[in-house]
Amino acid sequence: MKARISTEWLSGCSGCHVAVVDLHEKLVNLAEHAQFVRLPVLADEKGYPEADIGIVEGAVRSDHDRECLLRMRESVKTLVAFGSCAVYGGPSGLGWLYGKDAVMETVYREGPTNAGGPGPDAAAVPLEESVVPIDEVVPVDFYLPGCAPHPYFIAAGLGALLGGKGTPLTEKTVCSECTRKMRKRPGVALRKGAVTAEEPDVCFLSQGVVCLGSVTLNRCKAPCPAAGTACAGCAGPSLDVITEPHLDLRNLVATRMHKLTGLEPSAVKAYFEENAATFYAYALASPVLYKKPTVELREWIGGR
């Protein structure tokens, strides 16, 4: 009997659902073992049919998100948080910095491009006070972060859930698949604002550019460094950052840059704190980061 798969799309961009389509010919293999009974981007199913596996994309931002997530949890045996928004809050998690009233005031009244006029009426779906990952609302059985997860890891994860041998999901960082080499470069300056560097074969950290590859879980196969852009951390923190309360992105990156270039760790850490909305963007709504004793995201970024 084929396994029944149900999916849901909360506050997110639908990119994780599109990533499933990127499985290409692997979708044919998947169809031999599974049947999608709910798939919002392709099928008009309003209900929540019972299923073996539930896959949820997006964070919880509104009352509607919460209701849909609860119904999904009740209808499936196994629930997967799919993509960085579901696992950590993702980019929409920036809303965690602000209360609901502040968001409404900025978007509908204070914004520099606003023309004025009334805000949403009572028929609009109410926002929740903040943005939260889905495991803040319901129990989650498995996590597959990524923005979006690479099809390789989607296939591996689904294969394992469907009982196949599958490919083990790596616990390594993005650096494990990056071909750039770390080089000692004493005296290199910190290049604030830079996301590229001249030498295509040399680690960004060696060239004074902050790259999050060494503190980000590999769920992407490192396409950004290969294309000449520093890792932005879209798959969320590496396992050591998640499991060790005293480890943080800025401390680990600052230590590595100091060893490679001699840059003062305090300068790198200060740069992280000044630009925390960028360097912590994909997981700042998650207690994995904001509950760390040395991380003060609201103080660094501001909020209200």
Side-chain angles (χ1 to χ4, degrees):
M1 179 180 296
K2 292 183 178 181
R4 293 164 61 87
I5 298 178
S6 176
T7 77
E8 179 57 291
W9 168 16
L10 307 178
S11 287
C13 67
S14 83
C16 292
H17 272 80
V18 174
V20 175
V21 180
D22 284 342
L23 289 172
H24 298 299
E25 67 274 10
K26 287 187 173 62
L27 274 174
V28 178
N29 299 333
L30 179 63
E32 296 177 359
H33 305 285
Q35 169 191 7
F36 283 94
V37 297
R38 189 177 197 280
L39 191 62
V41 295
L42 293 177
D44 187 20
E45 171 58 67
K46 299 292 193 301
Y48 290 84
E50 291 187 357
D52 300 294
I53 300 169
I55 296 174
V56 175
E57 168 193 350
V60 178
R61 166 77 273 192
S62 67
D63 289 0
H64 180 262
D65 289 337
R66 182 175 292 268
E67 179 184 347
C68 293
L69 179 57
L70 290 171
R71 293 187 66 185
M72 173 63 96
R73 177 68 271 188
E74 291 172 354
S75 67
V76 302
K77 297 175 182 175
T78 299
L79 188 69
V80 181
F82 187 56
S84 292
C85 290
V87 176
Y88 298 116
S92 60
L94 285 168
W96 171 84
L97 294 166
Y98 307 94
K100 175 179 64 176
D101 292 341
V103 170
M104 298 296 288
E105 186 70 20
T106 299
V107 172
Y108 292 100
R109 283 176 281 276
E110 294 180 348
T113 59
N114 285 350
D121 61 26
V125 176
L127 291 181
E128 297 218 330
E129 186 59 30
S130 187
V131 180
V132 295
I134 69 169
D135 65 359
E136 296 284 290
V137 178
V138 298
V140 169
D141 301 296
F142 296 99
Y143 298 84
L144 184 59
C147 187
H150 189 283
Y152 172 87
F153 295 109
I154 296 173
L158 288 176
L161 286 174
L162 294 172
K165 293 181 180 178
T167 303
L169 292 175
T170 180
E171 297 180 355
K172 297 180 179 179
T173 67
V174 173
C175 282
S176 67
E177 297 219 30
C178 179
T179 59
R180 292 170 178 262
K181 304 299 181 187
M182 287 186 172
R183 298 281 187 257
K184 290 271 190 178
R185 294 290 170 79
V188 165
L190 178 62
R191 300 174 62 180
K192 294 184 177 181
V195 296
T196 61
E198 289 76 13
E199 298 181 80
D201 301 323
V202 178
C203 174
F204 286 106
L205 301 183
S206 298
Q207 300 185 72
V209 175
V210 168
C211 175
L212 299 183
S214 64
V215 290
T216 300
L217 185 65
N218 176 25
R219 289 294 179 267
C220 62
K221 302 184 78 65
C224 295
T229 304
C231 173
C234 70
S238 52
L239 290 187
D240 56 348
V241 174
I242 294 171
T243 55
E244 297 292 338
H246 66 287
L247 293 182
D248 175 43
L249 310 184
R250 73 193 196 292
N251 293 329
L252 291 172
V253 172
T255 300
R256 291 181 179 118
M257 294 189 81
H258 174 69
K259 291 180 178 177
L260 292 169
T261 67
L263 278 167
E264 284 298 324
S266 59
V268 178
K269 287 190 282 188
Y271 178 47
F272 263 76
E273 294 169 13
E274 292 162 5
N275 297 275
T278 297
F279 295 128
Y280 293 84
Y282 291 87
L284 61 77
S286 169
V288 165
L289 285 185
Y290 72 69
K291 283 192 174 180
K292 284 184 176 290
T294 62
V295 172
E296 303 289 349
L297 292 171
R298 283 198 169 110
E299 285 74 7
W300 297 341
I301 303 172
R304 53 179 174 157

